[in-house]
Amino acid sequence: MKINHFKLAFIITISCFIGNLHAGEWNFPVSASLVSGFGKITSIYEDNLNEEGYTTESVDGIPIGFAFRPYYEFENKIAVGVDIGPAMMIIGDTDFTNVPLNLNVRYSFGSDPAFSPYIRAGISHNFASGDYVEGSGSGFIGTIGAEFSKDRRVHFGAEIGCDTSEIEIANLSEDKVEKIKPYGFLLSVFVVF
């Protein structure tokens, strides 16, 4: 029996916090993230184009993706959220797009509004498409981070994390399908509205 990670995460999230529905607040972070797996993807795409007879010096892409990460924080400092992104793209002679979606729970430590560290964990799934994409899958995400000047409506923060979700890309030069963690390690900075 195959378990749907998103359904499981949703059920666990709802059951854990149904009794803690005290007044809280919505937060709307927008982030830019440096991701570790993008170089491997562009390298395979470049090799594939060369294998197909195209002359390429490099495949264009930037290893920085943007994400929208709304979350609702309860008075007990527990929050639930959804991340859309960070989006990745390759454009030009070939195309690749990946937009992950993840459901997560976080807990903030301390009571100082000037510095609010937190941990965050959840389930992530890639929605990837492109010339050589064979499939995409789910995995777990975990991060540690901090928000600064949280007592102000617009504030900022930073986090570092890892994501075990994978995508499958055909590697024509080696005649195999490779599983790649596009977001293996992430370093993000964000503004919260």
Side-chain angles (χ1 to χ4, degrees):
M1 182 172 128
K2 188 171 183 180
I3 296 174
N4 183 316
H5 291 115
F6 283 106
K7 287 181 184 176
L8 180 62
F10 181 75
I11 291 168
I12 290 171
T13 302
I14 294 300
S15 63
C16 287
F17 303 109
I18 200 76
N20 295 319
L21 294 178
H22 304 290
E25 70 176 342
W26 278 101
N27 292 277
F28 300 98
V30 177
S31 71
S33 301
L34 180 64
V35 298
S36 66
F38 193 66
K40 179 70 173 169
I41 294 167
T42 57
S43 177
I44 291 173
Y45 265 66
E46 187 176 309
D47 291 346
N48 286 350
L49 287 172
N50 289 332
E51 188 71 23
E52 291 178 329
Y54 296 98
T55 304
T56 61
E57 292 181 17
S58 67
V59 173
D60 294 328
I62 300 172
I64 297 174
F66 296 94
F68 179 55
R69 302 176 8 189
Y71 69 90
Y72 187 83
E73 186 169 24
F74 301 99
E75 284 184 355
N76 60 6
K77 299 182 183 178
I78 294 173
V80 293
V82 175
D83 290 11
I84 304 164
M88 302 170 84
M89 297 178 77
I90 296 174
I91 54 175
D93 294 332
T94 187
D95 72 285
F96 170 79
T97 304
N98 187 35
V99 180
L101 175 68
N102 81 59
L103 303 173
N104 58 77
V105 178
R106 70 188 257 166
Y107 180 74
S108 297
F109 300 95
S111 58
D112 183 1
F115 177 70
S116 180
Y118 64 86
I119 58 171
R120 192 165 65 94
I123 303 291
S124 181
H125 182 78
N126 292 298
F127 292 93
S129 64
D131 293 329
Y132 306 111
V133 174
E134 297 289 325
S136 55
S138 301
F140 296 99
I141 184 168
T143 68
I144 58 172
E147 291 185 10
F148 305 93
S149 302
K150 199 170 178 179
D151 55 340
R152 299 175 188 246
R153 185 63 211 143
V154 176
H155 54 282
F156 63 98
E159 75 176 19
I160 187 168
C162 63
D163 184 339
T164 65
S165 63
E166 296 178 327
I167 59 175
E168 296 177 345
I169 297 180
N171 185 333
L172 302 180
S173 62
E174 296 182 17
D175 194 28
K176 67 179 183 178
V177 174
E178 288 198 41
K179 291 184 177 183
I180 297 171
K181 293 179 179 144
Y183 301 101
F185 291 97
L186 309 104
L187 175 62
S188 303
V189 293
F190 55 89
V191 176
V192 183
F193 297 96

